[in-house]
């Protein structure tokens, strides 16, 4: 039996493991895809304090090496469900194994809602981005498109408009749905062009590089040239498997505050899967530290 099992091997989950290990606890990390999570899609990270520049993969590899050097056990397996047995939690994985722990930290993150177009996955990090803070500098002086029209899309576009030569907003609904104040700020910029009622139907590439998108409006198609595409059409939390252990809000995020605790003693949540205003590398790491220290206090108090 482990002291702590962490479901999810992104920055929040691996930071949680690190803090648990540093407090003398045994830790198992279960990750269903690849260690590092969404940050591995960023070819350049320049907003991690103390590090001028690194790739998302470099960050993930270094953090994984660090937690393994501290004694963490890791396994590539998806956590299907967690069963609360009082002082013991049973963690069921998709490889058929059932692990036991005194505490569980759920750090399953989110996935970006995609456009569902051919070649989209291959262009993520190579022309398609989801984070203007992370990747906006790559497009300084260039033209980018932003898919979406809600608050997230508008906020991304405001940041990009301060760097890019032109920002082209592509909203598939008849109107932009974000806050009016954000719309006023964005559309007052002379380098911002807006289109509503348009649907992106294809990604146009040349030698593997994104060169533009094809959009359809009222049955007619046209090509929009751009150097990059920022997709901001929503995030999808994957928390349903744990809804009996932790409250979910209306959008499916864990309804837990900065303490990262849940209604179930010994179950904690961390990272982008938690309800929060800011989802960044630094806030994920902060959640991981908070959840791990809370888990250690819980274990020590048993």
């Amino acid at each position: 039996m482990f002291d702590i099992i962490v479901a999810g091997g992104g920055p929040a989950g691996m930071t949680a493991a690190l803090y648990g290990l540093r407090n003398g606890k045994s830790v198992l990390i279960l990750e269903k895809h690849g260690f590092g999570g969404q940050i591995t899609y960023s070819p350049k990270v320049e907003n991690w304090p103390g590090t001028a520049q690194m790739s998302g993969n470099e960050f993930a590899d270094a953090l994984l090496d660090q937690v393994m050097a501290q004694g963490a056990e890791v396994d590539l397996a998806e956590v299907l469900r967690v069963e609360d047995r009082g002082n013991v939690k049973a963690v069921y994985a998709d490889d058929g194994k059932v692990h036991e722990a005194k505490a569980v930290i759920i750090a399953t993150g989110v996935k970006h809602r995609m456009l569902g177009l051919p070649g989209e996955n291959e262009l993520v990090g190579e022309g398609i981005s989801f984070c203007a803070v992370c990747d906006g500098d790559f497009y300084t002086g260039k033209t980018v498109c932003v898919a979406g029209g809600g608050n997230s899309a508008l906020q991304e576009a405001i940041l990009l408009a301060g760097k890019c030569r032109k920002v082209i907003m592509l909203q598939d609904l008849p109107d932009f749905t974000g806050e009016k104040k954000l719309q006023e700020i964005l559309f007052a910029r002379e380098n911002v062009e807006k289109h509503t009622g348009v649907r992106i139907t294809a990604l146009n590439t040349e030698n593997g590089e994104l060169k533009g998108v094809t959009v359809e409006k009222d049955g007619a198609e046209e090509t929009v040239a751009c150097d990059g595409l920022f997709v901001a059409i929503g995030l999808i939390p994957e928390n349903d498997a744990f809804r009996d252990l932790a409250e979910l809000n209306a959008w499916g995020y864990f309804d837990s505050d900065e303490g990262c605790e849940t209604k179930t003693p010994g179950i904690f949540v961390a990272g982008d899967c938690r309800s929060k205003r800011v989802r960044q590398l630094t806030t994920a790491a902060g959640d991981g530290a908070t959840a791990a220290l809370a888990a250690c206090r819980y274990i020590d108090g048993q």
Side-chain angles (χ1 to χ4, degrees), residues 68-283:
M68 291 184 69
Q70 291 285 328
E73 293 191 32
V74 300
D75 198 1
L76 280 173
E78 180 180 3
V79 174
L80 300 178
R81 65 187 179 95
V82 177
E83 184 179 295
D84 179 27
R85 299 177 182 174
N87 289 339
V88 176
K89 318 299 178 188
V91 178
Y92 292 78
D94 65 351
D95 59 4
K97 296 178 183 178
V98 181
H99 305 277
E100 292 186 336
K102 298 175 184 177
V104 172
I105 298 172
I106 303 170
T108 48
V110 295
K111 61 181 180 181
H112 290 279
R113 195 179 301 278
M114 305 284 277
L115 296 168
L117 299 174
E120 185 174 8
N121 289 332
E122 291 77 13
L123 286 169
V124 172
E126 300 292 340
I128 292 180
S129 300
F130 303 99
C131 176
V133 172
C134 308
D135 302 332
D137 284 348
F138 293 124
Y139 300 98
T140 299
K142 298 182 179 181
T143 297
V144 299
C145 290
V146 177
N151 282 349
S152 295
L154 297 175
Q155 289 166 343
E156 295 284 284
I158 289 170
L159 287 171
L160 292 167
K163 304 173 183 288
C164 301
R165 184 178 68 84
K166 180 187 282 189
V167 176
I168 303 170
M169 300 296 297
L170 302 173
Q171 162 71 311
D172 61 351
L173 298 176
D175 301 290
F176 288 90
T177 57
E179 295 174 3
K180 295 299 182 183
K181 184 62 177 178
L182 290 175
Q183 293 188 46
E184 290 172 5
I185 293 171
L186 176 63
F187 298 134
R189 303 293 296 261
E190 293 183 356
N191 63 334
V192 175
E193 182 180 306
K194 61 179 179 177
H195 301 271
T196 58
V198 297
R199 183 171 63 91
I200 300 175
T201 58
L203 305 170
N204 306 324
T205 62
E206 184 178 309
N207 298 322
E209 294 184 1
L210 183 71
K211 294 298 182 182
V213 298
T214 299
V215 299
E216 179 185 41
K217 181 172 184 177
D218 299 329
E221 286 191 335
E222 66 175 291
T223 298
V224 178
C226 64
D227 302 294
L229 170 64
F230 284 77
V231 180
I233 56 176
L235 298 169
I236 306 173
E238 301 178 283
N239 297 334
D240 281 349
F242 313 108
R243 63 169 52 250
D244 58 329
L245 302 171
E247 299 288 352
L248 303 183
N249 66 16
W251 297 274
Y253 293 95
F254 289 121
D255 198 11
S256 299
D257 62 16
E258 300 294 328
C260 297
E261 297 178 338
T262 71
K263 67 179 182 181
T264 306
I267 302 292
F268 306 88
V269 297
D272 288 358
C273 60
R274 184 178 71 79
S275 176
K276 57 201 306 185
R277 292 181 65 87
V278 179
R279 291 183 170 85
Q280 288 289 304
L281 183 58
T282 48
T283 61

